Amino acid sequence: MPAFLENEISGEAHVKVGVNNRNKTFRLKIGRDNVVGLIDALIEPLTYVLVIFFLGLHETGLWTSPYVVVALVIFSVSFPGVSRLHERFGSMVFNIVLRWCFLSVMLLLFAFATQTLQLFSSEAIAVWLLLTPALLIVVESLFRALLPVLIEAQDGHVRSIVVGVNPQGLALAERLSARRDMFTDFLGFFDDRKISRIDGASVVGDREPNMLGAIADVPNFVRERRVQCIYLALPMTRQDRILGLLDALKDTTASIYFVPDIFVTDLIQGRVDMIGEMPVVAICETPFTGIDGLAKRLSDLLMASLILALISPLMVVIACAVKLSSPGSVIFRQRRYGLDGKEILIYKFRSMSVTEDGEKIVQATRNDSRVTPVGAFLRKTSLDELPQFINVLEGKMSIVGPRPHAVAHNELYRCLIKGYMVRHKVKPGITGWAQVNGYRGETETVEKMQKRIDYDLDYLRHWSLALDLKIILRTVGVVIKDQTAY
């Protein structure tokens, strides 16, 4: 990153850039350094505290210490709140309920472990669980309705321009124009080239870019139109031009942001981080860092424990059927690549008469003679995968993630498919984004494996707990209807 890049950034927005027919996601922390942004950050935690406050008054007539402690804990874990202004109403409701389920389960488990749960009546807990997300949905909806008034109250939209017409500049402009939570009045572009000389799709939404002039015209335009925000989307190879423009803009009060031209590569969880005082750009990173990693692990532990408790009688029946139907072990252990490409052993109910785990493994095909009669049913219904919930408890796998391939297949495809090993930035999963999108079962061609990897990488780019839940629900339907597994 060039020396002139100096980010003074707060909040968060997402910029997706289309390059080579793929969506790139890059997180820029912009747009929550104002009054409306502060309200947006406080709505969720204050709503949680408000419900606790009124419950305390209703139950005891005053705000006793147990309710104060709960309020402080829930405020600390939820501040700053998640910005939902860019979400559709249905998505907002779903994400509020999902996030509340996670937070409330964590708080209840904490209260149970510390033996403080008995300090609250069952009626109060039930009201708290139901009222909190309902009230938050109402408050978020009111905030959306009042947003235009609030924006005008803080001097209206921020006047912004983009210098440089290219994929990242066009994508940024489109989102500045579309997202209400950016509070931006986007004026147009500056570039030394004419539209006819610019490669690629030169559109913002359904319109051609509004060209305001050449780069040399920027300082005067900023002063005359009182532009408040400038986004520099120029290539880093044009450092001299950028430095000259920055010197000329020192005579203005505009905020200046640099939009790096790194979208030509395949970003995985791209974002700006700080190491000390030095900004660094993440090009390829796991989505499970910090609190996200903790949330993923806790959700895996909770769901795997619950599922194993429910299916343990079924697993006993399957184990007996496997043992009685053919000679050999009940559980098949096979080497796979896990997190960071390290070898792990995964568990499956044996479905074949052989237990191959060598340098060369032939994938199962339709009517494969190696598959036992019981094994055919287990593979068709994916019941052979049930022991992998034990792998989840061990921390070797997740419930949702890229499906693990045999080591022999990994060594083959990593040489044939670009970016193949990036899927090992996360733990392998029992089910995955590729499997619920039609790429379950045999991948007899490189093209099919390429599609599976594309979905795996897409999962890494866009992971969320909501996406995990969506994949789990879709997996149930896929297992019932899918005809590709054998």
Side-chain angles (χ1 to χ4, degrees):
M1 184 173 293
F4 54 79
L5 174 55
E6 194 169 316
N7 275 328
E8 296 178 1
I9 48 185
S10 61
E12 186 170 300
H14 295 270
V15 180
K16 295 182 181 177
V17 181
V19 181
N20 299 328
N21 297 321
R22 294 186 183 182
N23 284 331
K24 315 296 181 190
T25 302
F26 187 70
R27 297 204 291 269
L28 294 176
K29 299 180 180 179
I30 299 171
R32 296 184 70 180
D33 53 352
N34 47 62
V35 175
V36 175
L38 179 61
I39 296 173
D40 193 23
L42 285 171
I43 279 179
E44 183 178 359
L46 288 184
T47 300
Y48 293 155
V49 170
L50 189 66
V51 174
I52 294 294
F53 176 75
F54 281 110
L55 273 178
L57 291 180
H58 180 268
E59 290 290 308
T60 64
L62 48 90
W63 219 27
T64 57
S65 56
Y67 288 93
V68 173
V69 171
V70 172
L72 290 173
V73 169
I74 201 167
F75 185 89
S76 64
V77 299
S78 62
F79 179 81
V82 177
S83 179
R84 307 191 187 280
L85 290 172
H86 63 285
E87 298 176 344
R88 295 193 180 110
F89 180 78
S91 297
M92 179 193 76
V93 172
F94 177 80
N95 290 329
I96 285 175
V97 172
L98 181 65
R99 179 170 163 83
W100 174 242
C101 287
F102 176 77
L103 285 175
S104 59
V105 167
M106 293 300 100
L107 288 170
L108 289 173
L109 288 175
F110 176 77
F112 178 78
T114 56
Q115 298 183 344
T116 56
L117 194 60
Q118 62 269 25
L119 297 176
F120 308 92
S121 68
S122 57
E123 293 81 4
I125 293 173
V127 171
W128 173 67
L129 290 174
L130 296 174
L131 180 60
T132 303
L135 182 61
L136 183 55
I137 291 169
V138 171
V139 173
E140 288 279 8
S141 299
L142 288 174
F143 182 47
R144 289 176 176 225
L146 294 173
L147 187 61
V149 177
L150 294 172
I151 291 174
E152 290 303 321
Q154 65 162 33
D155 299 326
H157 288 76
V158 175
R159 291 179 293 278
S160 303
I161 61 171
V162 171
V163 181
V165 182
N166 47 39
Q168 65 266 26
L170 290 166
L172 177 61
E174 184 177 352
R175 281 145 183 83
L176 289 174
S177 301
R179 285 186 57 164
R180 297 187 302 164
D181 56 325
M182 295 299 293
F183 323 121
T184 297
D185 182 11
F186 176 64
L187 304 179
F189 291 89
F190 286 85
D191 202 297
D192 289 338
R193 300 170 296 169
K194 295 182 179 179
I195 290 295
S196 59
R197 293 177 51 210
I198 298 174
D199 296 330
S202 301
V203 294
V204 180
D206 297 324
R207 309 181 307 278
E208 283 194 349
N210 178 28
M211 300 300 296
L212 302 173
I215 294 175
D217 301 326
V218 171
N220 286 335
F221 183 89
V222 169
R223 284 189 289 268
E224 293 171 3
R225 296 290 298 272
R226 299 188 179 218
V227 174
Q228 296 150 292
C229 198
I230 304 168
Y231 298 95
L232 302 181
L234 298 170
M236 287 186 282
T237 54
R238 301 175 68 179
Q239 183 168 340
D240 291 343
R241 177 69 61 87
I242 296 172
L243 289 172
L245 179 58
L246 290 175
D247 284 338
L249 290 172
K250 287 180 180 177
D251 190 34
T252 73
T253 59
S255 299
I256 304 170
Y257 296 90
F258 182 74
V259 185
D261 60 337
I262 61 173
F263 302 101
V264 293
T265 188
D266 192 6
L267 297 184
I268 304 293
Q269 292 292 321
R271 63 178 179 269
V272 174
D273 283 330
M274 300 294 291
I275 299 179
E277 299 299 320
M278 180 177 291
V280 294
V281 178
I283 304 296
C284 181
E285 178 59 287
T286 174
F288 306 130
T289 57
I291 191 65
D292 287 338
L294 178 61
K296 176 71 168 176
R297 181 60 182 148
L298 289 175
S299 65
D300 278 340
L301 286 173
L302 288 172
M303 286 191 288
S305 300
L306 177 61
I307 292 170
L308 279 171
L310 294 174
I311 67 173
S312 54
L314 175 61
M315 291 180 68
V316 172
V317 172
I318 294 173
C320 292
V322 171
K323 189 65 176 178
L324 295 173
S325 64
S326 62
S329 61
V330 170
I331 298 296
F332 170 42
R333 298 172 179 83
Q334 189 176 46
R335 294 178 302 128
R336 303 288 172 98
Y337 279 171
L339 181 65
D340 294 328
K342 297 178 181 177
E343 283 192 10
I344 62 172
L345 281 178
I346 70 162
Y347 311 134
K348 300 175 70 172
F349 283 120
R350 182 176 54 82
S351 60
M352 291 184 173
S353 58
V354 297
T355 53
E356 296 174 338
D357 193 23
E359 297 301 319
K360 183 178 181 181
I361 296 177
V362 179
Q363 277 190 315
T365 59
R366 193 178 298 277
N367 301 318
D368 196 315
S369 61
R370 298 172 299 167
V371 179
T372 66
V374 170
F377 174 75
L378 295 180
R379 295 174 71 91
K380 181 68 177 177
T381 57
S382 293
L383 292 175
D384 62 323
E385 311 284 358
L386 294 184
Q388 287 169 29
F389 285 104
I390 299 173
N391 287 125
V392 175
L393 291 183
E394 292 177 336
K396 297 176 181 178
M397 293 181 66
S398 290
I399 293 178
V400 179
R403 282 293 298 152
H405 301 151
V407 170
H409 294 154
N410 270 3
E411 294 305 316
L412 170 65
Y413 288 113
R414 71 187 301 176
C415 301
L416 299 176
I417 298 175
K418 184 180 179 181
Y420 179 89
M421 291 301 291
V422 175
R423 67 199 299 271
H424 296 292
K425 294 291 294 181
V426 300
K427 294 175 184 177
I430 297 174
T431 185
W433 190 224
Q435 283 64 44
V436 299
N437 280 284
Y439 293 93
R440 173 175 175 254
E442 183 186 6
T443 50
E444 68 274 14
T445 65
V446 175
E447 289 73 22
K448 282 190 176 182
M449 182 61 80
Q450 176 72 67
K451 285 291 187 181
R452 178 180 286 188
I453 302 309
D454 287 344
Y455 276 108
D456 289 342
L457 298 185
D458 190 61
Y459 172 76
L460 266 64
R461 294 185 195 101
H462 303 113
W463 173 83
S464 67
L465 286 176
L467 179 59
D468 274 1
L469 181 59
K470 178 180 179 180
I471 292 171
I472 292 170
L473 294 175
R474 285 182 61 177
T475 298
V476 177
V478 167
V479 169
I480 294 172
K481 296 186 300 181
D482 191 26
Q483 302 296 315
T484 61
Y486 37 81

